Amino acid sequence: MNQHKPELKEFAALSSAALTESFNHGYAKIDARVLQLTDVQLDRTFAKDSVAGEWSCRLLLGHLADAEIAFSHRMRRVAGEDKPALAAWDENEFIKKGLYSALSASDSVDLIRSVRQWTGAWLRTLSQAQFERTGQHPQRGEQSLHTILAYDTWHLEHHCWFLDRKLEQIYSAT
């Protein structure tokens, strides 16, 4: 379990090669105990002011799966198009609309692992010049492929930190 809450600046400071390796192995930070939870445990929410964050494990895993798809697509567009406009999305609207309510933990984890492996294999083929290519995000402004990769790598580990806190609470209650 990771006791250190990851900071985005730590990932942004890595070389593209080191960041790609961190990205490639990041899915291993998902605690496998989440796959053993019952539906009731998967859907347990937490207090707003909880160190675990308020989302249930099921919502968090669904969000992470969606994020992997979105980040991978952004990176591929930046590599393949000239200064593409990158779409933003509202994670809370996805949750409010119930998009994650029927997802299994194993399907979400499998998708995260698969997208990371697929994207990671592609990232290993890129030149430094390709990591420096940029797109335009409506909220964050100009972003290089390296910046998107750093954010994606951090994002998963950031949420895994919260997942660890959720699992601590769930397993201490049993």
Side-chain angles (χ1 to χ4, degrees):
M1 178 187 325
N2 189 2
Q3 295 297 328
H4 168 73
K5 190 172 182 181
E7 298 291 335
L8 178 56
K9 64 184 176 189
E10 297 168 15
F11 296 95
L14 294 173
S15 70
S16 296
L19 184 56
T20 298
E21 288 312 304
S22 183
F23 171 87
N24 286 338
H25 302 291
Y27 68 85
K29 304 252 175 160
I30 299 171
D31 189 322
R33 293 180 303 163
V34 75
L35 301 174
Q36 300 165 5
L37 297 177
T38 66
D39 282 337
V40 170
Q41 290 170 320
L42 273 172
D43 292 326
R44 176 183 169 190
T45 56
F46 300 83
K48 253 187 187 201
D49 60 348
S50 167
V51 70
E54 67 182 297
W55 291 354
S56 70
C57 292
R58 187 186 313 272
L59 293 179
L60 182 129
L61 291 172
H63 165 71
L64 287 173
D66 257 347
E68 286 306 316
I69 294 168
F71 286 128
S72 180
H73 186 251
R74 285 178 187 164
M75 288 186 278
R76 293 180 80 77
R77 289 197 59 218
V78 167
E81 299 174 18
D82 289 329
K83 299 196 182 283
L86 306 173
W89 55 298
D90 185 341
E91 61 195 27
N92 292 311
E93 285 301 312
F94 280 48
I95 290 169
K96 286 180 195 173
K97 302 290 191 294
L99 297 182
Y100 306 133
S101 60
L103 297 177
S104 75
S106 62
D107 285 348
S108 293
V109 171
D110 288 347
L111 186 137
I112 294 163
R113 185 181 63 252
S114 293
V115 172
R116 283 275 174 128
Q117 289 174 336
W118 182 73
T119 302
W122 166 72
L123 288 169
R124 285 187 180 112
T125 70
L126 300 182
S127 68
Q128 186 55 41
Q130 288 170 301
F131 279 101
E132 294 168 8
R133 291 178 56 85
T134 62
Q136 189 69 28
H137 190 279
Q139 296 161 331
R140 296 189 185 104
E142 187 174 77
Q143 291 193 303
S144 68
L145 194 153
H146 185 275
T147 300
I148 298 166
L149 176 59
Y151 193 88
D152 185 11
T153 305
W154 165 81
H155 183 261
L156 179 69
E157 293 194 26
H158 168 78
H159 280 299
C160 284
W161 186 90
F162 284 100
L163 180 62
D164 288 348
R165 309 290 85 71
K166 292 174 192 311
L167 292 171
E168 283 174 1
Q169 290 185 31
I170 289 169
Y171 281 102
S172 70
T174 58

